[in-house]
Amino acid sequence: MRKYLIAGLLVWMPLGITFLVIRAIVGFLDQTLLLLPDAYQPDNFLGIHIPGLGVLLAVVLVLATGMIVANLLGRRLVNAWESLLSRIPLVRTLYAGIKQILEAVLATDGQSFRRVLLVEYPRKGAWSLAFMTSDQLGEVQEKTRSEVISVFIPTTPNPTSGFVLMLPKEDVIELEMSVEQGLKMIISMGVVVPDWEKEQLLKQQAQQKKPEQA
């Protein structure tokens, strides 16, 4: 009975949690429909409630905003808006910090959260997973007189909190696992471990096929 119960939970719990998370996200984004006038809201216009239309509207708004700010006029509008926000004491600190974080994380050519590292923390002989956040540390690099990188060590099972350390590059070990695999390992408290041997075998097979194709 215990075996069957666990097998059933392994099927239904991931499905249930996934459904609840998606429903919460869709419900939150559906609130964007309130931006429309009452006459144009789908519930009033169509007479029925269709879940997910808020997601479509949010995607359209983001794409439209991106198209507008990509040109010269749009950038001037954004600069004027940011200039206005910079005059508000608390708002300017929050806005500037959030924007810098998003620019660093979402930049396609950036190094933030692109590599999974192994660092000796919190003591010698104990190892923790970390993500490289930057290798351009300016004053820190100059004062330490060594090649220093900043790393983020997330906590488990909530990876949004953690510690930022600045370590010599030679003291960290770069892993081959992807960021997604590293997050899965952290969130699962070390239970979900990437099948490294299988990945190495697949890489070897791919390398062996290249000379044959040539």
Side-chain angles (χ1 to χ4, degrees):
M1 289 294 293
R2 181 174 177 272
K3 177 182 177 182
Y4 296 147
L5 180 62
I6 293 175
L9 288 174
L10 289 176
V11 172
W12 285 108
M13 283 192 68
L15 285 174
I17 294 172
T18 302
F19 172 76
L20 291 174
V21 171
I22 291 177
R23 188 176 71 171
I25 294 173
V26 171
F28 175 76
L29 291 177
D30 276 346
Q31 299 300 314
T32 58
L33 295 174
L34 298 176
L35 299 173
L36 299 174
D38 291 339
Y40 294 99
Q41 289 188 12
D43 290 3
N44 300 328
F45 186 72
L46 301 175
I48 57 174
H49 177 68
I50 303 177
L53 288 179
V55 177
L56 181 61
L57 178 61
V59 172
V60 171
L61 284 174
V62 172
L63 288 175
T65 304
M67 293 173 64
I68 292 172
V69 301
N71 57 53
L72 181 60
L73 178 60
R75 285 195 295 270
R76 288 182 177 177
L77 291 174
V78 172
N79 291 335
W81 173 252
E82 291 181 344
S83 176
L84 177 63
L85 292 178
S86 65
R87 300 175 184 178
I88 307 174
L90 181 60
V91 174
R92 68 185 178 192
T93 304
L94 289 173
Y95 178 81
I98 294 171
K99 184 178 180 181
Q100 288 176 353
I101 292 172
L102 290 176
E103 285 178 345
V105 173
L106 298 178
T108 56
D109 56 347
Q111 298 295 322
S112 300
F113 294 95
R114 297 290 189 273
R115 303 178 189 175
V116 184
L117 308 174
L118 201 60
V119 300
E120 213 166 6
Y121 179 86
R123 62 173 177 80
K124 189 174 181 61
W127 297 89
S128 300
L129 282 183
F131 301 99
M132 178 176 168
T133 55
S134 177
D135 57 357
Q136 305 294 327
L137 299 184
E139 183 182 0
V140 175
Q141 201 101 0
E142 178 66 25
K143 295 293 178 63
T144 56
R145 299 188 180 277
S146 60
E147 191 173 1
V148 179
I149 62 173
S150 64
V151 301
F152 175 69
I153 303 177
T155 56
T156 183
N158 176 23
T160 59
S161 64
F163 308 92
V164 176
L165 302 179
M166 286 166 280
L167 304 170
K169 193 172 183 179
E170 61 269 16
D171 290 348
V172 304
I173 300 174
E174 185 173 348
L175 302 178
E176 295 182 10
M177 71 173 66
S178 65
V179 173
E180 181 182 359
Q181 291 173 330
L183 285 173
K184 286 181 179 179
M185 190 172 176
I186 291 168
I187 294 172
S188 67
M189 295 174 285
V191 176
V192 179
V193 180
D195 194 343
W196 183 77
E197 294 180 355
K198 182 179 179 180
E199 291 180 359
Q200 293 299 310
L201 180 61
L202 292 174
K203 287 182 180 180
Q204 291 177 2
Q205 292 175 351
Q207 290 176 353
Q208 291 173 357
K209 289 180 180 179
K210 286 182 180 179
E212 295 177 0
Q213 293 175 354

